């Protein structure tokens, strides 16, 4: 039997066993497991990798635990602004959206742009007009907003102001990394790139990958990270691998991480694990951190990250479900 | 002496000697020469590659002959909507803008996002708010609009309607390629991807590349092509090359063309010329056409394209100025 399987992430960051309360950890594990199962069930029934990726990501978008869809972080203007992308490794077709405010599941719209428009990427109001034309429900931005993210934004703004007023000179370049959210609370304190994503191989040997995010807390209105950038946050090619990234997006764009994993396999003959680790090292070398999940045409998975933890999980026809949160990247 | 130089393009497309009037051809040649000279003069004075790229692209943005800045094509809503990106090969820093309506020189704003913000990419109103904060002049959208582009849009819409009403079934997938502008006029008829771009090597061995565009005539509001996508339309890395693309952007995004050129050099050891040709072949294989310009760390240039012609030119310390428009890609 051909192997098949799915690998997912719910964001990388400074996620520590010491600061994640057990009850919350259980919630994360249950939801990650639900997302793996949603995609895996489709694959097991002979479904395709693209459907599996969408199904897994929608579970994570609909959960307030993750920074995508409901529960996304707030931008500097106090709104949720959502990006997503998807790629079909069989056809190299791709779809992406950025700057959405009213679409419940951005990953669905990314897929519809791939399959029902002449374009790959649509942003802002134009993307939402296209969605209306397809009969999408338009939800108020408040649907996405949660009290936790509002506190997180308030803390980020407080910190920003403290820094602006502080007498201590900041080291050169440090003002360019303003995404850290700090608080006396265990959890607000963490630097978490809570993007979600999935990559799957189906029984026909076809790969697909997708990514969805609310971006960075307190980001400037209009900022786009790597998640909707084909080649940076998402890439899939049957010849090599399907990849979804999470991390400080600016560095992932500059290193072209998702495409780099595939290029390292195709042009340098690296294994999936080697290529994935090499790509994350490129991000580190530029000064960024984050992680990625990937699956290749044989069903091998890789989940490297350079942060303390990454919400992640996978299941293949040959490997029962694995859900992990803390360090020791595979 | 170390070599240095600059290579530029003003778009690829069905540009034929038979249909380009000699007077118009002269205008194009003069403006391409002016753009090469603007960048080259800076390099000759010891300036850096980034300044040279910006100087050359601004000449092309300011000219109504090209589809970038003034004279950009109109989208389906009748407005000019501008995208641009730039990358510094020394630091791998990058900046990109998409969906601008009121910024005279999008390439300047892309650079300012690279150098003065914490972000790589900003889109739409958010990007323009950032520009206002930097003191940018806000120009009315009419500044960009020309009578020629209005005729081109009218023709594209007429054709679109003809197709919608036509009794003849279109071949599968052909409705996804609606960017062709057709008219009884020699010039409206051409499928021209009039994006502009430049790539430069300076005397310090540093590479840079940039790209600027109005996208496709009659594009849907919110559509983003490859020009502002780092890795697709633009990439620069001192270790390999600086690249700017022009063509049917959707295919360039899917193939990750600019990053692919660098990856093929770095991971497979191809020369610049081989890597550039291979990347364009990848686009062709997906069903797209277009071209790119590139320069490597030794000052070798490549200008492959799969269309009938590409407005292009270059000059290095070892090669006097070359300006070309029609076939026989180097």
């Amino acid at each position: 039997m051909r192997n098949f399987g799915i690998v997912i992430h719910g964001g990388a960051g400074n996620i520590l066993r010491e600061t994640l309360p057990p009850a919350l950890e259980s919630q994360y594990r249950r939801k990650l497991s639900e997302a793996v199962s949603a995609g895996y069930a489709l694959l097991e029934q002979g479904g395709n990798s693209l459907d599996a990726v969408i199904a897994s990501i929608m579970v994570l978008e609909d959960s307030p635990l993750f920074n995508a869809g409901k529960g996304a972080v707030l931008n500097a203007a106090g709104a949720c602004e959502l990006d997503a992308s998807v790629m079909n490794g069989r056809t190299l077709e791709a779809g992406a959206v950025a700057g959405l405010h009213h679409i419940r599941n951005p990953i669905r719209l990314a897929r519809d742009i791939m399959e029902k428009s002449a374009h790959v990427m649509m942003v802002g109001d134009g993307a939402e007009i296209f969605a209306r034309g397809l009969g999408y429900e338009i939800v108020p931005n408040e649907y996405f907003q949660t009290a936790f993210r509002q506190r997180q934004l308030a803390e980020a703004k407080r910190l920003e102001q403290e820094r602006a007023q502080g007498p201590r000179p900041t080291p050169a370049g440090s003002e360019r990394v303003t995404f850290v959210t700090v608080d006396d609370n265990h959890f607000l304190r963490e630097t978490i790139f809570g993007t979600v994503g999935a990559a799957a191989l189906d029984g026909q040997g076809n790969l697909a990958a997708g990514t969805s995010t609310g971006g960075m807390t307190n980001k400037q209105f209009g900022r786009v990270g790597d998640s909707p950038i084909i080649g940076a946050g998402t890439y899939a090619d049957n010849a090599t691998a399907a990849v979804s990234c999470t991390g400080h997006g600016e560095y992932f764009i500059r290193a072209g991480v998702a495409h780099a994993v595939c290029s390292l396999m195709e042009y340098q003959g690296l294994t999936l694990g080697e290529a994935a680790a090499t790509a994350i090292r490129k991000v580190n070398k530029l000064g960024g951190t984050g992680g990625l999940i990937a699956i290749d045409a044989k069903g091998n998975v890789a989940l490297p990250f350079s942060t303390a933890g990454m919400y992640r999980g996978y299941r293949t026809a040959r490997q029962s479900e694995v859900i992990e949160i803390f360090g020791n990247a595979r």
Side-chain angles (χ1 to χ4, degrees), chain A:
Chain A
M1 189 196 62
R2 286 189 85 135
N3 199 4
F4 59 86
I6 189 158
V7 54
I8 67 162
H9 68 80
N14 191 27
I15 311 163
L16 297 168
R17 203 181 296 273
E18 304 86 84
T19 54
L20 187 66
L24 194 54
E25 180 184 336
S26 298
Q27 284 183 46
Y28 273 106
R29 288 185 180 276
R30 275 199 303 274
K31 192 54 75 172
L32 289 166
S33 175
E34 185 186 329
V36 168
S37 300
Y40 189 80
L42 292 177
L43 296 172
E44 207 169 26
Q45 293 153 25
N48 72 55
S49 52
L50 193 55
D51 287 333
V53 160
I54 302 290
S56 288
I57 290 176
M58 283 178 64
V59 168
L60 300 171
E61 283 181 340
D62 291 344
S63 163
L65 291 172
F66 302 95
N67 176 19
K70 186 171 186 64
V73 300
L74 303 177
N75 67 10
C80 291
E81 200 173 52
L82 308 167
D83 309 333
S85 65
V86 68
M87 188 155 181
N88 180 337
R90 180 173 64 79
T91 59
L92 298 185
E93 288 181 311
V97 288
L100 301 182
H101 294 88
H102 304 289
I103 304 297
R104 189 186 296 263
N105 290 108
I107 195 70
R108 269 188 64 208
L109 183 56
R111 183 187 185 162
D112 276 336
I113 285 168
M114 173 169 77
E115 298 184 339
K116 298 175 184 168
S117 88
H119 301 318
V120 166
M121 186 174 196
M122 295 194 71
V123 302
D125 294 345
E128 300 201 337
I129 290 168
F130 177 75
R132 274 174 210 261
L134 293 177
Y136 273 64
E137 178 193 6
I138 301 301
V139 301
N141 198 257
E142 290 70 26
Y143 161 76
F144 303 105
Q145 299 174 18
T146 62
F148 172 68
R149 297 301 188 188
Q150 277 155 355
R151 281 174 55 210
Q152 220 173 23
L153 176 62
E155 287 303 318
K157 284 188 179 291
R158 186 181 64 77
L159 176 71
E160 190 178 54
Q161 201 161 20
E162 258 182 34
R163 279 186 179 154
Q165 297 169 345
R168 235 170 32 140
T170 48
S174 75
E175 73 284 4
R176 302 197 52 181
V177 188
T178 55
F179 56 91
V180 185
T181 57
V182 173
D183 190 288
D184 51 3
N185 180 296
H186 69 92
F187 198 61
L188 291 186
R189 184 186 300 270
E190 314 304 338
T191 302
I192 296 175
F193 309 108
T195 298
V196 309
L201 167 70
D202 63 31
Q204 287 69 52
N206 292 317
L207 293 167
T211 309
S212 181
T213 193
M216 300 184 333
T217 296
N218 201 24
K219 69 183 175 185
Q220 281 180 272
F221 172 48
R223 177 262 186 185
V224 173
D226 65 316
S227 301
I229 304 297
I230 298 299
T234 302
Y235 206 78
D237 182 347
N238 275 7
T240 49
V243 186
S244 169
C245 299
T246 170
H248 192 174
E250 277 70 12
Y251 295 95
F252 280 70
I253 295 175
R254 291 166 54 195
V257 173
H259 187 251
V261 172
C262 296
S263 295
L264 284 160
M265 293 177 72
E266 184 171 357
Y267 305 141
Q268 207 163 43
L270 299 193
T271 66
L272 178 75
E274 293 165 348
T278 302
I280 291 297
R281 277 198 300 272
K282 281 176 86 114
V283 170
N284 296 346
K285 212 175 141 193
L286 292 176
T289 58
L292 65 83
I293 51 111
I295 188 166
D296 71 12
K298 291 180 178 163
N300 298 308
V301 298
L303 307 87
F305 52 93
S306 60
T307 47
M310 178 167 78
Y311 299 110
R312 62 200 188 276
Y314 60 95
R315 181 173 176 188
T316 73
R318 297 179 188 158
Q319 161 80 56
S320 56
E321 183 185 279
V322 174
I323 303 293
E324 291 179 296
I325 296 179
F326 308 111
N328 292 322
R330 173 189 167 129

